[in-house]
Amino acid sequence: MKRWLLGLAAVLLLASPWPTSAAETAYEWNVADIYPSEHEWMRDYKAVKNALPKLAAFEGKLDDAKTIAKLFALNEQTARKLEKLSLYAHLKRDINIEDETAARLGAKVEALAAQYAAKTAFIEPELLALPERTLRKLQKSKPLKAYRYYFHELREQKPHTLTKREEQLLAKLSPALGEAENIYDHAARGDYEPPSVKMPNGKTVTLTDDQYAAMLEHPDRRYRKAAFEAKAKSYEAMEQTAAATLYASVKADELYANVRRYPSGLAAALAADDVPKEVFDHLIAATRRHLPALHRYVELRRRALGLDRVHSYDLYVPLVGETMKPIPVETAKTLIVEGLKPLGADYIKQVHRAFQERWLDVFPRPKKYTGGYNTGAYDTHPFILLNYNGSLDSVLTMAHELGHAMHSVYTNRAQPYHYSGHSIFTAEVASTANEWLMLDYLYKQAKTKEEKLRLLIEQIEQIRGTLYTQVMYSEFERMIHDKVRQGGSLTADELNHLWLGLLKTYYGPAYAADPGAARGWLRIPHFYDAFYVYKYATSLAASYTIVSDIQTDTSGKAVKRYKQFLRSGASDDPIRLLKRAGVDMTSPEPIERVLGHFAELVDELDRQLPSQNRQRST
């Protein structure tokens, strides 16, 4: 349900991408924007602690609109403070993993959050235990007018809600049902020892995830083949464990769905997002229809690289040899502002605020978290963590995370706290919309054939990685869930066979399916969060439609619709929110549209490649 019930929820310059030391603080967070000092943090901490018994006092009394409204008001006040407390400790830790204050505050707020969760655990079960007639009256009542969509969601859950005793039993069993992912994490991250390979210069390199990704782009085919084979061989030791944990996880998903009276694990996962099954079905079917365009792209890679067949270790090596010069961060800011101008003056004003008010922590530093994300609280501005290195990917990542940040800014200005979250189904729309705009802008600004070719391939790879690949993963999920639901098991051999078959189907006749590629399934932790990955594909398709409409609409209506979508938060189901933005995800049209664009990009690549010096790999 909603977050408040869960509690917590241009020109490429030749300069370095990093600023001088005197200007570095302009690219670091100012966490004092959340709390000026630990004293203020402790004040909110005590306020939350004092509110817990008051919240617990409502248990057993949720039978009239006024009482429920009072509870909701107190719960919101408490959750908002708890959210800020957690954010402060989290950010301090991520900019310095050895910050002792962050560790201490983090431990305190984690314990407080657990107490809060325990004290408020009664709310949803108690409301769901009310008769349907009572819920309908509460939904229409004046004191709860601001929560009408919440009660609509609650009523949709009711047919899948068990008796109080059964719900308590299921809650106690939940940790055990989710233990498969824990075991997988220990095997894949704790016990797993990455292999090493020798580079052409004789240096031995350990194949961490980052190093492995870099090695698959190495121009020496013998080297990337050696890296691929070493990595594939290293997974052999854990494939039986991974198969057992995935089998246990899928069994738990299907058991949970059955107990809650859903026809399948897929149906349960879609219902949690208010997404009809036809959306998933259209996604798979439309992508299947457009596989010939992906086959053609693989064939173009084969020709460009001068290969007999394209192996898995040939899918990522750049087709353009020379790397781009580093993009200084100030240039990146200018590019982003210019590229996002189609979204209007107010949007750009907020982007300027992000840079001016230090919403971004931009550069890598010792002891800083190595990933990238956008986060924040309802009562703070967004906070974006980056590890900017001057690459094109870094620029696109900055634009991507700013899309998330702007989504929060617009939503928080328009929605009450309980509707300020974003469904995963809609959250990635705002971020990928920014990427579409940036790629289009950069392509139009490119001065040389090589720059245009590089940006053309970037667009192709975005669709391949975010849509085709995620849909293939989704097909695999559906296959293994169907197999388990029908009483079958999942052995490593069976999983390898399914995965390799999908690779052959998706990449076509120019692709050589090496036996080592069959273990790709065990590298995907998202499979332990059932039917999650399809949402990356639907989001990309939705954002492509929105951006295409914005670029061709001279009336300004498309931008207006998109801004309204950004303001909507979680105030309605994601399908209706996107329909108001001009995208009908119950139709195959958005998928057809973006995959039609992919085919056009591949056509353009075919036209441009003959003018390049084609490589010959050995």
Side-chain angles (χ1 to χ4, degrees):
M1 297 298 285
K2 293 295 167 272
R3 60 197 274 188
W4 65 283
L5 279 181
L6 295 174
L8 294 177
V11 178
L12 303 183
L13 304 180
L14 300 181
S16 162
W18 291 274
T20 61
S21 57
E24 281 180 0
T25 54
Y27 297 98
E28 296 176 4
W29 285 331
N30 179 17
V31 295
D33 287 348
I34 310 172
Y35 291 107
S37 69
E38 191 176 334
H39 174 76
E40 281 79 5
W41 190 93
M42 282 303 303
R43 185 174 59 194
D44 270 1
Y45 176 87
K46 291 173 183 175
V48 171
K49 206 162 184 62
N50 291 337
L52 296 183
K54 297 175 185 176
L55 286 167
F58 281 90
E59 187 170 3
K61 301 173 184 177
L62 304 186
D63 53 7
D64 68 275
K66 287 185 178 179
T67 301
I68 294 169
K70 287 179 183 177
L71 167 63
F72 283 4
L74 178 60
N75 196 23
E76 178 180 318
Q77 291 170 17
T78 308
R80 285 167 70 167
K81 286 185 171 65
L82 190 55
E83 189 178 60
K84 283 182 65 181
L85 291 168
S86 177
L87 179 68
Y88 184 78
H90 170 75
L91 297 186
K92 282 180 70 67
R93 181 199 65 203
D94 278 2
I95 55 179
N96 182 359
I97 192 64
E98 295 181 2
D99 187 320
E100 293 183 3
T101 299
R104 177 170 50 80
L105 298 183
K108 287 177 71 71
V109 74
E110 188 177 327
L112 185 62
Q115 294 170 36
Y116 166 80
K119 296 293 185 183
T120 57
F122 71 92
I123 299 175
E124 204 163 290
E126 196 166 316
L127 291 173
L128 282 166
L130 296 171
E132 166 64 18
R133 184 179 175 184
T134 303
L135 286 176
R136 194 163 54 246
K137 283 179 66 178
L138 290 171
Q139 186 178 0
K140 295 177 180 179
S141 68
K142 191 174 180 180
L144 296 170
K145 182 179 179 181
Y147 299 91
R148 285 186 181 172
Y149 177 61
Y150 167 73
F151 276 96
H152 163 78
E153 282 191 306
L154 204 64
R155 289 174 59 199
E156 285 194 342
Q157 276 193 49
K158 192 164 177 60
H160 305 285
T161 301
L162 311 178
T163 66
K164 184 176 180 180
R165 179 174 173 75
E166 289 169 336
E167 288 287 350
Q168 289 173 338
L169 179 61
L170 194 60
K172 289 178 180 179
L173 287 173
S174 288
L177 292 175
E179 193 58 28
E181 184 176 8
N182 257 342
I183 298 169
Y184 168 79
D185 281 342
H186 282 295
R189 303 176 200 283
D191 299 337
Y192 173 73
E193 290 288 338
S196 299
V197 293
K198 277 192 176 182
M199 295 178 69
N201 61 7
K203 182 181 177 183
T204 299
V205 176
T206 301
L207 292 176
T208 62
D209 287 345
D210 287 345
Q211 283 285 7
Y212 181 58
M215 291 172 192
L216 290 183
E217 297 181 3
H218 199 281
D220 188 326
R221 193 181 192 219
R222 291 167 298 183
Y223 177 49
R224 60 181 189 264
K225 179 183 179 182
F228 172 80
E229 290 179 344
K231 195 75 167 174
K233 181 70 176 174
S234 72
Y235 287 131
E236 194 175 332
M238 61 173 284
E239 68 175 353
Q240 298 299 332
T241 299
T245 57
L246 186 56
Y247 178 41
S249 179
V250 173
K251 277 201 299 184
D253 290 336
E254 292 299 326
L255 173 64
Y256 177 87
N258 182 264
V259 167
R260 290 210 175 277
R261 298 184 285 272
Y262 288 105
S264 66
L266 173 60
L270 293 171
D273 285 326
D274 281 331
V275 172
K277 187 172 179 290
E278 61 196 295
V279 173
F280 188 88
D281 292 340
H282 285 322
L283 175 65
I284 303 290
T287 304
R288 282 270 180 164
R289 286 193 294 273
H290 285 267
L291 285 180
L294 181 57
H295 297 171
R296 189 150 167 263
Y297 174 55
V298 176
E299 169 61 20
L300 286 177
R301 289 191 71 88
R302 185 194 70 77
R303 283 164 37 199
L305 295 169
L307 305 173
D308 293 328
R309 301 281 293 283
V310 173
H311 293 251
S312 293
Y313 46 83
D314 302 317
L315 286 170
Y316 304 96
V317 62
L319 299 182
V320 183
E322 187 181 339
T323 58
M324 293 177 68
K325 296 180 178 68
I327 304 171
V329 69
E330 290 296 333
T331 302
K333 287 163 57 176
T334 301
L335 292 172
I336 287 171
V337 167
E338 292 300 316
L340 300 182
K341 276 188 175 177
L343 298 180
D346 181 66
Y347 193 97
I348 296 302
K349 180 181 178 182
Q350 301 306 317
V351 171
H352 279 302
R353 279 189 64 206
F355 288 118
Q356 292 163 358
E357 298 176 12
R358 295 168 58 186
W359 298 5
L360 296 88
D361 199 284
V362 176
F363 296 105
R365 299 189 299 277
K367 303 174 187 176
K368 177 182 171 181
Y369 182 78
T370 57
Y373 59 73
N374 168 76
T375 188
Y378 187 73
D379 296 306
T380 72
H381 61 69
F383 288 83
I384 297 171
L385 183 137
L386 301 169
N387 280 275
Y388 188 84
N389 63 9
S391 67
L392 173 62
D393 185 61
S394 279
V395 177
L396 294 175
T397 299
M398 185 183 289
H400 179 104
E401 299 302 343
L402 280 165
H404 284 308
M406 295 306 114
H407 200 175
S408 295
V409 168
Y410 277 90
T411 291
N412 292 353
R413 289 196 307 193
Q415 296 297 331
Y417 179 71
H418 53 280
Y419 293 147
S420 62
H422 301 120
S423 160
I424 298 297
F425 195 86
T426 58
E428 293 299 326
V429 173
S431 55
T432 54
N434 278 11
E435 289 193 65
W436 285 121
L437 286 165
M438 288 304 303
L439 285 168
D440 181 68
Y441 172 77
L442 292 170
Y443 185 78
K444 289 174 180 175
Q445 295 296 310
K447 305 301 182 190
T448 68
K449 287 182 179 180
E450 187 180 75
E451 287 175 355
K452 283 187 176 292
L453 183 56
R454 184 181 289 110
L455 288 159
L456 179 64
I457 294 169
E458 185 77 28
Q459 292 181 69
I460 290 172
E461 286 295 330
Q462 183 185 46
I463 300 172
R464 177 168 80 93
T466 309
L467 200 147
Y468 280 111
T469 298
Q470 304 304 326
V471 174
M472 191 194 91
Y473 292 176
S474 301
E475 279 214 64
F476 179 77
E477 279 192 280
R478 186 172 65 178
M479 288 175 175
I480 61 177
H481 276 260
D482 286 350
K483 190 172 175 58
V484 170
R485 191 172 64 258
Q486 293 160 10
S489 63
L490 298 176
T491 66
D493 286 346
E494 288 170 316
L495 293 166
N496 290 346
H497 176 74
L498 290 174
W499 191 264
L500 205 58
L502 283 170
L503 284 174
K504 292 175 182 177
T505 298
Y506 270 71
Y507 287 116
Y511 173 74
D514 298 297
R519 300 188 189 98
W521 56 269
L522 62 77
R523 297 184 62 229
I524 316 300
H526 281 323
F527 290 153
Y528 293 85
D529 189 350
F531 299 101
Y532 180 96
V533 296
Y534 86 93
K535 289 173 269 196
Y536 289 122
T538 54
S539 293
L540 190 74
S543 65
Y544 177 76
T545 295
I546 288 169
V547 169
S548 297
D549 290 347
I550 288 171
Q551 290 172 328
T552 56
D553 172 42
T554 57
S555 69
K557 290 181 181 178
V559 172
K560 187 176 181 181
R561 286 197 305 266
Y562 180 53
K563 295 280 186 67
Q564 186 53 46
F565 164 77
L566 295 178
R567 293 186 189 100
S568 298
S571 61
D572 207 338
D573 76 58
I575 298 299
R576 280 197 287 262
L577 293 178
L578 284 170
K579 275 186 179 179
R580 292 173 202 148
V583 186
D584 183 3
M585 292 306 299
T586 63
S587 159
E589 183 185 359
I591 313 298
E592 297 279 358
R593 199 166 170 179
V594 70
L595 291 178
H597 179 58
F598 179 85
E600 292 170 354
L601 293 170
V602 172
D603 288 342
E604 181 61 26
L605 179 64
D606 196 13
R607 285 190 290 269
Q608 290 196 30
L609 275 176
S611 66
Q612 301 295 312
N613 294 323
R614 300 201 174 189
Q615 304 175 45
R616 178 71 193 175
S617 291
T618 56

